[in-house]
Amino acid sequence: MAEGTTLLLGALQAVPDAQLSEPCALPGWSGKHLIAHVSLNAEALMNLATWARTGVETPMYSSPTQRDDDIERTAKLPVAELRDRVVETAVALDASLAGLTESQWAQPIRTRQGREVTGEEIPWMRSREVMVHAVDLAASVGFGDLPGDFLASLIDDIAAKRDGEGLVLVATDQDRRWTIPGEPVNEVHGTAAGLAAYLSGRETSDVAGAGGGLVPRLGPWL
């Protein structure tokens, strides 16, 4: 099982059943919504794996409304069933990806946002979901517990998609900086973990503006 999935399942195991009915780090969602989403994400990525394997267009979701309705419906399941679904869908996704050939990994597919990528993008899409949402469970995992190479890749990914924010991000624990076009320009310093949390719209005390000043607030991403 992939490292990110193992991390998520460990975090989920540390959360009492009752806590999953309470709000999580994402506005409007409980922990049950979050793990419902994670299991449904695995199924959606299996659709992309089918697209990569067959060449037949198989979108992640039939529509944004269907995605949202499925999350609401699945979140109403008993907690024990939700926990089982997370494991079962993760195992099924791993099996689906393991069967792809070299040419199928290179098959063009489209993400939910309409970006054209290849099947090779699917493992990253899953890692991003399970690792960030492991933190959102507010259990035993924080951004500082995520691998440094993952954090750098996550910042790369989000920075490329938050066009117009006007940010220069400086990692204090890595020799890296990122520039996001826009006006006015704000310089934000922090650890890679802090920058990843900040850029994804999560609460963090590990970033500060140049000279220790305040930084602009960003809305949730992912």
Side-chain angles (χ1 to χ4, degrees):
M1 189 171 288
E3 178 184 11
T5 301
T6 301
L7 188 77
L8 172 76
L9 294 179
L12 180 56
Q13 192 172 31
V15 181
D17 286 357
Q19 185 177 323
L20 290 173
S21 296
E22 299 173 358
C24 71
L26 296 176
W29 273 12
S30 67
K32 292 181 69 176
H33 284 90
L34 183 65
I35 58 174
H37 164 61
V38 170
S39 67
L40 291 166
N41 170 261
E43 294 177 351
L45 293 177
M46 278 189 272
N47 287 341
L48 292 188
T50 297
W51 188 342
R53 185 174 62 255
T54 64
V56 176
E57 182 173 347
T58 314
M60 292 180 68
Y61 306 99
S62 61
S63 70
T65 300
Q66 178 244 325
R67 171 185 177 271
D68 295 344
D69 288 347
D70 284 352
I71 291 171
E72 288 294 335
R73 173 180 51 79
T74 305
K76 293 181 172 64
L77 294 173
V79 170
E81 188 173 343
L82 279 170
R83 290 183 185 274
D84 288 344
R85 278 179 60 89
V86 171
V87 176
E88 291 163 2
T89 55
V91 170
L93 175 59
D94 283 351
S96 183
L97 295 179
L100 295 181
T101 66
E102 184 176 349
S103 62
Q104 290 167 347
W105 282 115
Q107 170 69 37
I109 58 176
R110 280 196 309 277
T111 68
R112 179 169 68 92
Q113 294 79 17
R115 290 188 305 116
E116 185 169 297
V117 297
T118 66
E120 294 169 324
E121 186 83 358
I122 300 173
W124 166 250
M125 294 169 68
R126 182 59 174 173
S127 292
R128 190 180 61 197
E129 290 282 339
V130 293
M131 288 202 183
V132 173
H133 290 324
V135 176
D136 290 332
L137 280 170
S140 57
V141 178
F143 276 93
D145 298 308
L146 305 182
D149 57 348
F150 169 80
L151 291 170
S153 295
L154 181 64
I155 299 170
D156 285 342
D157 191 8
I158 306 176
K161 296 167 184 170
R162 276 204 181 270
D163 189 32
E165 298 287 359
L167 296 170
V168 174
L169 306 167
V170 181
T172 55
D173 58 345
Q174 296 185 12
D175 186 20
R176 293 290 306 274
R177 60 191 289 131
W178 296 261
T179 300
I180 303 177
E183 295 292 341
V185 176
N186 292 279
E187 191 166 301
V188 180
H189 294 241
T191 62
L195 292 175
Y198 168 71
L199 202 56
S200 62
R202 272 62 176 183
E203 293 289 340
T204 179
S205 58
D206 294 333
V207 296
L214 297 176
V215 297
R217 188 175 182 83
L218 300 179
W221 182 91
L222 187 70

